[in-house]
Amino acid sequence: MPELASRQHVRDICGVVEAALEKGESTMEELGAVAVTQGPGLVGSLLVGVSFAKSFAWARGIPVVPVHHLAGHIESLVLAHGELPLPSAVLVVSGGHTSLFFITEPGVYRLIGRTRDDAAGEAYDKVAKLLGLGYPGGPVIDRLARQGNDRAFDFPTAKLTHADRNAPLATADGILPPDVARRVDFSFSGLKTAVLRLVRERTGAGPEGRAASADGAGASLPPSEIADICASFQRVVVDVLLDRTFEAARWLGARSIGISGGVSANSHLRAEAEARSARAGIPVFVPPLSLSTDNAAMIGAAAFRRLARKGAGDWSFNAEASLPL
Ligand code: KG4
Ligand code: ZN
């Protein structure tokens, strides 16, 4: 409900800034700049942040620095670990994005792969909703999957073969062979549909289902079966994410891999990434849990980088619902 979210931002923003200053043991007078998320996201909420940040910075006589949300997720890795060994392949995997970047120079991010449909976090959230597990879906599926059999169900891995889905990102041309560029794109809507079909079969609704809405359709399944679905679903998501990231890293001659964004909090993803890192002999960096899901520190880190590279810029920027990085 975008309007309610915007109104909540108006109510909370002063208190949040005061609490942040207090927790950070600083005062308004000590601030050198204000960082703010410019986009992408819900534009009403972004507008509250942008308007507040500009007013605050103007009143204090300090610069305001617009930040791309995904730059924040990428820089959360640097905030936690220092500069990554470059070149690096960085996967940002969140509720709104599943995007793979190639970084050869600090602060310059080249998009080489992205999801053609749902983001990985979105798939977690939709499957959780289907199983009646609430929102956000990632943490609860992560927890239930530990009790389940990840081979109980054989969900499909998306293959991007249909002709009109075949064009790889233009930016990937030249740095990856076309067949590899195609393979480093992601797709999760087919997996989500496979889970829906299974749930409908298991609950006796038939493969196409009778219910108008799938929300909560799987809630009546036995807990052990819900855990098996979670584990099997999660195995496919994590395999797809890591297969493609490691393959891209290998082709690009990357010296490190980074994985950030809300889904990087996932315990199976972290464990599997570590195991593959050891096998492939390439270091993998993930943020600490406190910097995995959305947070303000990473926006500050990205602003710090931008200030150092380009200076503050002007005041004319606006909130943007969609914004290329
Ligand atoms: O980056 P983020 O906090 O917000 C966006 O930018 O979207 O990511 C939120 C997403 C949600 O879809 C949530 O279900 C997922 O991250 N998430 C997880 C876990 N914790 C959060 N997904 C899998 N396992 C987790 N432990
Ligand atoms: Zn995020």
Side-chain angles (χ1 to χ4, degrees):
M1 298 220 181
E3 184 185 337
L4 294 188
S6 310
R7 289 180 183 279
Q8 196 63 43
H9 276 66
V10 171
R11 277 194 286 271
D12 285 343
I13 197 157
C14 293
V16 164
V17 170
E18 279 165 10
L21 285 171
E22 205 181 303
K23 251 180 132 173
E25 295 174 8
S26 5
T27 61
M28 272 194 233
E29 291 70 32
E30 288 173 288
L31 299 180
V34 179
V36 64
T37 304
Q38 183 182 9
L42 283 180
V43 80
S45 302
L46 293 168
L47 276 167
V48 176
V50 166
S51 305
F52 181 91
K54 284 188 182 179
S55 314
F56 187 104
W58 186 265
R60 300 288 335 148
I62 54 178
V64 60
V65 188
V67 169
H68 193 288
H69 183 68
L70 296 191
H73 277 304
I74 295 170
E75 295 300 332
S76 73
L77 294 164
V78 179
L79 189 58
H81 304 289
E83 296 293 350
L84 305 186
L86 298 179
S88 184
V90 175
L91 175 71
V92 179
V93 64
S94 71
H97 292 83
T98 302
S99 302
L100 189 58
F101 294 93
F102 185 45
I103 302 177
T104 50
E105 191 186 325
V108 183
Y109 323 110
R110 191 164 177 192
L111 183 66
I112 56 165
R114 78 313 197 199
T115 180
R116 301 291 180 93
D117 39 59
D118 293 351
E122 193 179 353
Y124 267 97
D125 295 333
K126 286 179 177 169
V127 166
K129 201 171 185 182
L130 172 67
L131 296 173
L133 300 174
Y135 178 88
V140 56
I141 290 182
D142 192 353
R143 184 166 48 77
L144 293 177
R146 287 182 209 140
Q147 296 139 35
N149 171 7
D150 69 358
R151 303 273 161 184
F153 303 107
D154 197 15
F155 294 127
T157 319
K159 290 194 183 60
L160 299 170
T161 50
H162 191 272
D164 66 3
R165 298 184 135 211
N166 249 355
L169 268 189
T171 50
D173 285 351
I175 61 167
L176 287 174
D179 59 320
V180 181
R182 192 175 303 131
R183 284 206 299 277
V184 299
D185 268 356
F186 303 88
S187 166
F188 292 103
S189 73
L191 173 61
K192 175 194 67 189
T193 306
V195 178
L196 174 62
R197 282 173 161 272
L198 178 92
V199 165
R200 284 185 163 154
E201 274 165 31
R202 296 268 158 174
T203 53
E208 301 311 323
R210 285 186 297 268
S213 163
D215 296 354
S220 59
L221 291 171
S224 66
E225 203 158 301
I226 290 183
D228 286 349
I229 294 173
C230 290
S232 302
F233 161 79
Q234 177 163 279
R235 177 174 59 82
V236 174
V237 173
V238 167
D239 278 351
V240 165
L241 292 174
L242 294 179
D243 282 352
R244 290 165 200 213
T245 304
F246 274 77
E247 176 165 26
R250 194 167 52 241
W251 274 97
L252 296 165
R255 293 184 54 233
S256 66
I257 288 175
I259 306 174
S260 63
V263 180
S264 73
N266 186 264
S267 61
H268 178 57
L269 177 66
R270 284 172 175 250
E272 189 59 25
E274 211 178 294
R276 291 188 188 214
S277 160
R279 283 204 296 274
I282 178 166
V284 175
F285 297 90
V286 291
L289 288 177
S290 60
L291 296 179
S292 282
T293 45
D294 286 353
N295 63 88
M298 71 186 194
I299 303 302
F304 197 72
R305 171 84 82 194
R306 188 187 152 133
L307 263 181
R309 278 177 49 82
K310 299 195 205 159
D314 64 29
W315 292 76
S316 63
F317 71 91
N318 210 334
E320 304 294 343
S322 59
L323 186 66
L325 177 60

